[in-house]
């Protein structure tokens, strides 16, 4: 149940079309028990009126840095001190750029600089603007400085494009905000995860691999660290930044992944096997590049070790969680796999919809219960998965 009882949330609205969702967001935050005050950039007032936000929040909206009346009611520094959380939704590319550089030319940038409360950003922009190297560089700096980033989600955009850059839905933002205050549900736990694909070398320049992006494992690692866990991530080759506070060990092959896991597993409480480990590897790795000659080339493959099964068979074993990306009979295959590998919990999902995607729909299967999670952003689903695991481990 969403709880924000007595939390003071300063909602900062910047000028993007997703600003219209702030009415619903404010309603949800208040319903969850929060006190909400709103500050808006001038551009934001083109998308939603201050009067709407005043009526819903029950408080006067801050619009100008140098407004004597507003300053007399609650000055901007006082407002920055008042907040338990500053939530900027939507956060435009321009606003992110400005706070990256410590600008303080308007009420909202000034509040971000002045506050010592956590600041969360819900980016919302055109997919091209999100993907742009400038935005991504700013994002990396903001993450590094400890800003929480909620989303964005992928999908249809107001401009007609389809891609990453949609603001998360108000209910998801409210859940993320609540989770920031609950951080600590995995405090004291050590989590070990595998993620990404493995690469099985054929010769010095070629390998067999798969399309796993690593996004699910990285989302879980980031959420677990934010929830207070000590997190070790054994990662195959992926194109993702290491989440804050996560110890990352890079490997390539399944055998290297197994060795790294066995090094780390001794004192971990929870093991989550998210990696798409190659089932087979070439029987021999030749030291010189295979030359093109005959019309046919036969490859002989041998089975790779099953990492999660080996963890599940340890004498002193952690709570073991697996994933099953299936293309047919998703639940039946998942149940069978969980039992055969001796896992405590397994998340079954549709492989065709999941690989390299930003969203996921899963069903959690344990010996006692089966719970279906609605399709959502991997970050949102990661939290639900970890909360379920935390409940089962506690
Ligand atoms: O590939 P499969 O569907 O069997 O994967 C199910 C689970 O087993 C996943 O959690 C995966 O990370 C893990 N696994 C593993 N080592 C393998 C194959 C799969 O840890 N060799």
């Amino acid at each position: 149940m969403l709880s924000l009882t007595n939390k003071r949330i300063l909602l900062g609205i910047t000028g993007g079309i997703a600003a219209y969702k702030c009415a619903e967001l404010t309603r949800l935050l208040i319903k969850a028990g929060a006190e909400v005050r709103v500050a808006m950039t001038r551009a934001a007032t083109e998308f939603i009126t201050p009067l709407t936000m005043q009526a819903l929040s029950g408080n006067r909206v801050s619009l100008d840095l140098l407004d004597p009346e507003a300053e007399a009611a609650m000055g901007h520094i006082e407002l920055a001190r008042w907040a338990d959380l500053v939530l900027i939704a939507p956060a435009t590319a321009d606003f992110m750029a400005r706070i990256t550089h410590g600008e303080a030319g308007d009420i909202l940038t000034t509040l971000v600089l002045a506050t010592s409360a956590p600041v969360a950003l819900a980016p919302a922009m055109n997919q091209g603007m999100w993907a742009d190297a400038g935005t991504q560089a700013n994002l990396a700096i903001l993450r590094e400085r400890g800003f929480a980033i909620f989303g964005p989600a992928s999908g249809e955009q107001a401009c007609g494009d389809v891609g990453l850059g949609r603001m998360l839905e108000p209910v998801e933002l409210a859940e993320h905000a609540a989770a920031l205050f609950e951080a600590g549900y995995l405090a004291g736990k050590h989590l070990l995860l595998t993620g990404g694909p493995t690469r099985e070398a054929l010769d010095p320049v070629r390998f067999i691999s798969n399309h796993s992006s690593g996004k699910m494992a990285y989302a879980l690692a980031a959420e677990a660290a934010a929830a207070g866990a000590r997190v070790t991530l054994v990662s195959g080759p992926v194109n993702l930044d290491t989440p804050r506070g996560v110890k990352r060990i890079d490997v390539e092959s399944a055998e290297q992944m197994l060795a790294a896991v066995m090094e780390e597993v001794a004192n971990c409480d929870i093991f989550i096997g998210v990696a798409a480990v190659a089932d087979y590897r070439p029987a021999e790795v030749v030291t010189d590049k295979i030359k093109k000659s005959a019309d046919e080339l036969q490859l002989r493959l041998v089975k790779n070790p099953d990492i999660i099964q080996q963890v599940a068979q340890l004498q002193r074993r952690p709570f073991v969680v697996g994933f099953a990306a299936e293309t047919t009979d998703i639940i039946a295959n998942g149940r069978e796999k969980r039992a055969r590998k001796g896992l405590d919990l397994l998340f079954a999902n549709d492989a065709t919809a999941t690989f390299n995607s930003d969203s996921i729909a899963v069903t959690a299967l344990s010996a006692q219960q089966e719970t279906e999670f609605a399709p959502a952003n991997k970050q949102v689903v990661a939290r639900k998965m970890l909360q379920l695991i935390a409940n089962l481990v506690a």
Side-chain angles (χ1 to χ4, degrees):
M1 189 47 212
L2 191 59
S3 169
L4 284 163
T5 312
N6 298 330
K7 297 294 182 245
R8 295 162 158 189
I9 299 183
L10 175 59
L11 176 61
I13 310 177
T14 73
I17 179 62
Y20 83 90
K21 295 188 178 176
C22 286
E24 175 70 359
L25 175 59
T26 302
R27 207 183 58 79
L28 289 172
L29 295 173
I30 290 175
K31 201 168 148 217
E35 197 182 331
V36 177
R37 285 180 181 267
V38 178
M40 300 170 72
T41 63
R42 277 289 161 194
T45 64
E46 302 287 337
F47 294 94
I48 188 163
T49 72
L51 190 59
T52 302
M53 297 313 301
Q54 175 177 311
L56 289 170
S57 68
N59 288 304
R60 197 194 152 110
V61 174
S62 302
L63 294 167
D64 290 304
L65 199 49
L66 307 173
D67 174 350
E69 242 183 83
E71 286 294 301
M74 188 186 267
H76 64 275
I77 297 296
E78 210 182 324
L79 189 56
R81 285 198 194 115
W82 168 88
D84 294 320
L85 169 68
V86 178
L87 171 59
I88 310 288
T92 59
D94 173 69
F95 188 77
M96 288 172 62
R98 288 192 289 133
I99 54 174
T100 301
H101 293 284
E103 286 191 17
D106 64 14
I107 183 82
L108 214 47
T109 45
T110 304
L111 285 165
V112 169
L113 274 195
T115 192
S116 55
V119 181
L121 306 175
M125 65 197 73
N126 165 268
Q127 52 83 25
M129 294 171 77
W130 174 254
D132 184 82
T135 304
Q136 290 300 312
N138 292 338
L139 180 69
I141 292 171
L142 293 171
R143 279 194 206 280
E144 183 63 28
R145 287 191 197 144
F147 285 76
I149 312 291
F150 297 166
S154 143
E156 264 181 45
Q157 304 206 297
C159 53
D161 278 5
V162 176
L164 208 55
R166 280 172 61 90
M167 187 171 84
L168 292 187
E169 294 304 323
V171 67
E172 295 173 334
L173 292 178
E175 280 171 3
H176 277 309
L180 277 188
F181 293 107
E182 284 168 17
Y185 65 90
L186 284 172
K189 300 282 184 226
H190 180 196
L191 244 89
L192 177 61
L193 299 102
T194 62
T198 63
R199 279 183 186 172
E200 310 299 332
L202 284 161
D203 70 11
V205 293
R206 304 184 180 98
F207 55 80
I208 300 174
S209 191
N210 58 63
H211 288 298
S212 168
S213 63
K215 284 178 184 164
M216 190 69 242
Y218 277 62
L220 281 162
E223 283 299 324
R230 180 155 73 87
V231 183
T232 307
L233 172 60
V234 179
S235 176
V238 297
N239 199 6
L240 297 170
D241 293 330
T242 310
R244 264 168 75 81
V246 170
K247 175 179 161 192
R248 167 170 165 182
I249 302 172
D250 286 316
V251 296
E252 294 224 331
S253 67
E255 288 185 307
Q256 289 170 0
M257 188 172 269
L258 174 68
V261 164
M262 287 304 162
E263 279 271 305
E264 298 288 326
V265 77
N267 48 16
C268 88
D269 304 290
I270 300 162
F271 174 83
I272 314 182
V274 197
V277 183
D279 290 329
Y280 293 91
R281 67 176 183 279
E284 59 220 297
V285 184
V286 293
T287 41
D288 292 318
K289 189 177 160 200
I290 300 168
K291 292 266 180 270
K292 183 163 48 177
S293 54
D295 283 348
E296 260 188 38
L297 176 69
Q298 297 254 344
L299 283 179
R300 205 164 60 81
L301 303 176
V302 291
K303 222 175 194 172
N304 260 332
D306 193 305
I307 301 169
I308 206 165
Q309 197 158 5
Q310 293 202 19
V311 172
Q313 283 167 357
L314 289 172
Q315 270 229 310
R316 250 201 82 243
R317 55 171 256 169
F319 185 84
V320 184
V321 183
F323 276 75
E326 305 286 350
T327 49
T328 52
D329 294 331
I330 296 165
I331 304 299
N333 281 325
R335 281 185 199 130
E336 182 279 324
K337 194 166 284 185
R338 192 199 67 75
R340 175 167 46 82
K341 297 199 184 204
L343 313 181
D344 297 300
L345 186 67
L346 182 133
F347 293 110
N349 62 275
D350 183 343
T352 45
T354 303
F355 267 43
N356 222 352
S357 164
D358 290 303
S359 64
I360 187 169
V362 295
T363 303
L365 308 171
S366 75
Q368 291 77 27
Q369 64 184 73
E370 302 194 351
T371 318
E372 206 172 314
F373 293 0
N377 185 270
K378 283 182 178 170
Q379 191 185 11
V380 173
V381 175
R383 166 139 0 89
K384 294 200 169 135
M385 290 173 166
L386 290 169
Q387 283 172 340
L388 175 66
I389 293 169
N391 286 339
L392 294 174
V393 170

